[in-house]
Amino acid sequence: MIELSGLRKYNSGKRTARLEADIKFLDVETEAPAETLWFEIDANYSAMLVEDTYDPFLLVALYLAMNYKTDLKIRGNVSKKLYKNLTWYGQKILCDFSPKLKPAKIIVDGFAPTEAKGVLIGGGMSGGVDSMSTLYDRFICEDDPDYKINALFFFNCGSNGRMEDFYTQSMAQSRNKRGISLAGELGLPFLPMDTNLHQFWRQEYGETLFFLSIYSCVLALQNAIRRYYIGSACSYQGIKEYGFDRHENDLAVFGDSYFIPLIQTERTEWIIDGCQYRRVDKIKNIADWDVAQKYLNVCRMFSENTSNCGVCEKCLRTLSALEILGKLDAFANIFDLKKYREKSFEYKCKVVANADKSIFYRELLDLAAENNFPMPARRDCYVLGRQVTIFE
């Protein structure tokens, strides 16, 4: 059995407040990486943290229980809506996602109050294409105050690297700094949060625990957040065609559109934004936005100046779309375009050769056709392992 207990909120220093719960692995053959799960924010925002429900800890603890094929005991209350949806429906989705998982019994003492307190319409700001496109649509283009983003959040919960890696905190601080500047330019409050949920990450989980950790961070702030936008990773069409191919690795592409609605609570509503677009359409959506031209950050490589390297997979994918759209030079200040141009033809060959295997490559090829942009002929491009071979 996995057990959660000891829910508490306290000031962990002069500047930070922490929400914490103990986690125990009882009769489970594993060495727990930590005895507590926690979330930490600026002490000035302490009131945003819930302290009457274990909701923020439920998702990760449940995934671990399903992985170790044991029950989950929570010595306290959770949202009834979250509890029912995970018991009846959510676990089935997770089991379809990974055959290594088995349904777990969730045992709770009772249910949390349902009254909504929050007034914030939130969105995440990682700086990537998904979050930037959502920000453009739901802040710049949205007029309805009930749906217009009025606060931005940055969760250091795994996307910046493993918790134990030396560069992870530097990466988080760098992205946090960019987020503060972006939010300041738009006149929006910016709230960063740290957590140790990704301390429980293991190689076989793929990126699953990272996504669950994002959702958990939002649940920790139910006192403040009334509605929250999750920038989707994939279009509805992409999920339909390629979702199953991403099982056991990418939970977002596999089932964002139908899993996330099951983890909202009586206090906080979730909206999955961006599934209405292809990834290349999101890039087109923000290509002329001066804020995106200044702050877009898709790169997987850490850099002290927070620029994009231009040659990692995410940079190449983004820059290829911008080149097809004729917008490449507008992003010269935040991407290394010289390095990109050295690799761009080879990458285009990779896109052509793998278009039937990847939704993102397929979309790039379609975008090129829509814009009469010349791409290498498929008969001339072959990929052997990771090596691109070009026949001329």
Side-chain angles (χ1 to χ4, degrees):
M1 177 180 291
I2 293 177
E3 180 181 274
L4 291 175
S5 63
L7 181 65
R8 54 201 178 269
K9 182 171 74 174
Y10 61 93
N11 287 342
S12 54
K14 293 182 179 179
R15 298 182 178 180
T16 58
R18 179 173 285 196
L19 179 68
E20 194 169 81
D22 299 320
I23 183 168
K24 295 180 181 179
F25 292 77
L26 306 173
D27 301 321
V28 177
E29 295 183 5
T30 185
E31 184 175 343
E35 296 180 351
T36 61
L37 297 170
W38 53 261
F39 302 87
E40 194 169 76
I41 62 171
D42 188 298
N44 292 319
Y45 304 120
S46 174
M48 293 184 176
L49 294 169
V50 294
E51 55 185 329
D52 57 1
T53 177
Y54 280 82
D55 290 357
F57 307 99
L58 175 54
L59 291 176
V60 168
L62 176 61
Y63 188 88
L64 295 172
M66 295 176 70
N67 181 70
Y68 290 112
K69 301 169 181 59
T70 189
D71 294 339
L72 173 62
K73 169 66 177 178
I74 300 175
R75 296 193 175 277
N77 298 335
V78 298
S79 160
K80 180 182 285 190
K81 189 174 193 177
L82 182 61
Y83 168 82
K84 293 293 186 181
N85 281 340
L86 286 176
T87 299
W88 293 342
Y89 316 115
Q91 291 191 65
K92 172 58 177 172
I93 295 172
L94 292 175
C95 288
D96 287 345
F97 172 71
S98 173
K100 298 175 183 177
L101 303 177
K102 298 298 179 183
K105 184 178 181 180
I106 306 173
I107 306 165
V108 301
D109 287 351
F111 299 111
T114 60
E115 181 183 0
K117 304 176 183 178
V119 297
L120 297 184
I121 313 298
M125 184 34 62
S126 66
V129 169
D130 298 330
S131 62
M132 197 70 75
S133 180
T134 290
L135 179 61
Y136 183 75
D137 279 351
R138 305 281 77 84
F139 177 70
I140 298 297
C141 302
E142 182 60 69
D143 295 324
D144 188 337
D146 285 334
Y147 287 87
K148 186 183 182 73
I149 287 176
N150 59 26
L152 292 176
F153 296 85
F154 174 74
F155 303 134
N156 181 22
C157 61
S159 64
N160 303 298
R162 302 181 191 179
M163 193 166 184
E164 65 271 19
D165 290 346
F166 73 92
Y167 63 84
T168 296
Q169 198 57 31
S170 296
M171 176 75 85
Q173 290 172 356
S174 177
R175 289 176 171 173
N176 184 46
K177 184 178 179 181
R178 287 176 71 87
I180 292 172
S181 297
L182 183 155
E185 195 162 314
L186 296 177
L188 288 170
F190 183 80
L191 292 89
M193 171 181 277
D194 283 320
T195 180
N196 75 329
L197 296 183
H198 52 305
Q199 191 172 356
F200 289 77
W201 181 88
R202 285 172 42 173
Q203 185 72 39
E204 62 265 31
Y205 298 162
E207 296 184 343
T208 308
L209 210 63
F210 158 57
F211 293 115
L212 295 179
S213 297
I214 293 176
Y215 313 148
S216 298
C217 288
V218 178
L219 292 174
L221 297 168
Q222 289 182 76
N223 281 350
I225 299 175
R226 174 161 60 99
R227 183 168 288 125
Y228 192 87
Y229 290 102
I230 293 285
S232 68
C234 196
S235 67
Y236 291 123
Q237 184 67 22
I239 291 172
K240 183 172 69 173
E241 293 186 12
Y242 293 89
F244 186 75
D245 293 338
R246 304 304 290 271
H247 74 287
E248 293 194 82
N249 179 48
D250 192 336
L251 181 62
V253 173
F254 178 84
D256 251 4
S257 59
Y258 51 92
F259 180 73
I260 290 178
L262 297 176
I263 58 173
Q264 59 189 338
T265 69
E266 294 89 347
R267 303 181 193 182
T268 301
E269 177 190 2
W270 304 77
I271 298 178
I272 306 94
D273 184 81
C275 284
Q276 70 272 30
Y277 293 127
R278 300 174 301 176
R279 174 65 62 90
V280 293
D281 293 326
K282 294 179 185 179
I283 295 172
K284 183 178 180 180
N285 194 33
I286 61 174
D288 292 319
W289 189 24
D290 59 340
V291 172
Q293 293 168 4
K294 189 174 179 180
Y295 293 106
L296 184 65
N297 184 219
V298 302
C299 192
R300 289 180 171 178
M301 307 299 291
F302 173 68
S303 172
E304 290 291 346
N305 63 9
T306 69
S307 62
N308 298 275
C309 74
V311 292
C312 69
E313 173 63 31
K314 286 195 172 183
C315 282
L316 287 167
R317 183 198 306 161
T318 304
L319 290 173
S320 294
L322 289 170
E323 182 182 2
I324 292 168
L325 293 167
K327 305 292 183 179
L328 195 60
D329 290 337
F331 290 79
N333 290 332
I334 57 172
F335 285 90
D336 191 328
L337 296 187
K338 180 180 178 181
K339 289 184 178 179
Y340 166 71
R341 289 187 170 104
E342 292 172 353
K343 292 284 187 179
S344 63
F345 183 74
E346 180 180 330
Y347 184 73
K348 291 183 182 77
C349 289
K350 181 179 178 181
V351 167
V352 171
N354 291 283
D356 58 343
K357 301 175 183 177
S358 166
I359 181 61
F360 300 124
Y361 293 163
R362 176 76 258 168
E363 289 177 357
L364 280 172
L365 204 58
D366 289 344
L367 184 69
E370 292 162 12
N371 288 270
N372 297 314
F373 184 90
M375 294 287 279
R378 182 177 177 85
R379 66 178 181 274
D380 299 329
C381 304
Y382 298 89
V383 178
L384 302 176
R386 296 185 178 180
Q387 182 65 42
V388 177
T389 303
I390 304 168
F391 295 90
E392 301 186 60

